Amino acid sequence: METRTIRFIRRGEVVALPNVPPDRTLLEVLREDLGCTGTKEGCAEGDCGACTVVLGEMGEDGARIEYRAINSCIRLAHSIDGLALWSVEDIANRDGTLHPAQEAMVACHGSQCGFCTPGFVMSLYARSVGALGTGDTPVADVIAGNLCRCTGYVKIIDAIEQAAQARRRADG
Ligand code: FES
Ligand code: FES
């Protein structure tokens, strides 16, 4: 099986990973090759959203980045060559200040065992960058791809609404 180097942008820098097998998933690269275990593996079949990350690529107009939330467990690592990647480790500010999506989950107690939390946070982040609907998108649609087995949905929905309010305030 032929391996290949993949390159992508993360935290504003180019990451180059040599010898990546063609059947390696993005989730395996994140957790096993890069040691970024914040992104979780739940079902490994694209059903639970625990492995949600965000990808960005230049839009057709060449002026705007288009973002997409994806399940990294069913995304082959080679397919992100040339794209930008954000995982749950990448969205807080450099000074450690949490992203509003993270702050809202903390403030609303939206995490119980915590296993699903990175996936929900990334779905909230995806909405904040326009990858998963807009501020007006129904909450149920934003988290349609994320499962919480601790049945913590009420708190999570509170967090989503709080994050949306914070965004509306920031947008003026
Ligand atoms: Fe469940 Fe990826 S681990 S969707
Ligand atoms: Fe435990 Fe959601 S907090 S699975």
Side-chain angles (χ1 to χ4, degrees):
M1 209 179 285
E2 193 182 337
T3 63
R4 198 157 54 88
T5 298
I6 60 171
R7 293 178 185 80
F8 54 91
I9 297 172
R10 191 169 186 219
R11 301 169 186 165
E13 293 178 2
V14 175
V15 177
L17 292 177
N19 305 318
V20 180
D23 60 351
R24 196 143 181 83
T25 67
L26 177 55
L27 181 61
E28 289 169 333
V29 163
L30 273 170
R31 290 182 57 84
E32 297 169 16
D33 300 344
L34 296 175
C36 294
T37 53
T39 307
K40 304 301 182 200
E41 179 177 321
C43 64
E45 293 180 343
D47 289 331
C48 75
C51 64
T52 303
V53 297
V54 170
L55 297 178
E57 69 181 312
M58 192 56 74
E60 283 182 9
D61 62 4
R64 234 167 21 96
I65 296 176
E66 291 180 356
Y67 299 90
R68 259 174 304 153
I70 57 123
N71 291 323
S72 59
C73 69
I74 53 170
R75 180 85 182 215
L76 291 176
H78 281 264
S79 72
I80 74 154
D81 194 45
L83 306 186
L85 168 71
W86 290 264
S87 75
V88 73
E89 287 95 346
D90 304 328
I91 62 173
N93 291 322
R94 288 185 192 275
D95 66 2
T97 313
L98 296 180
H99 185 273
Q102 295 169 306
E103 272 181 1
M105 288 292 271
V106 173
C108 295
H109 306 286
S111 184
Q112 292 184 42
C113 80
F115 195 82
C116 69
T117 308
F120 276 99
V121 163
M122 290 311 289
S123 289
L124 267 64
Y125 176 74
R127 177 160 86 165
S128 76
V129 294
L132 210 55
T134 67
D136 297 326
T137 302
V139 167
D141 290 354
V142 175
I143 58 170
N146 295 94
L147 297 180
C148 175
R149 292 174 177 82
C150 298
T151 61
Y153 289 100
V154 171
K155 301 290 185 188
I156 291 168
I157 289 169
D158 287 349
I160 293 169
E161 286 169 350
Q162 179 170 310
Q165 282 168 11
R167 180 161 174 75
R168 280 195 285 274
R169 278 198 299 276
D171 290 346

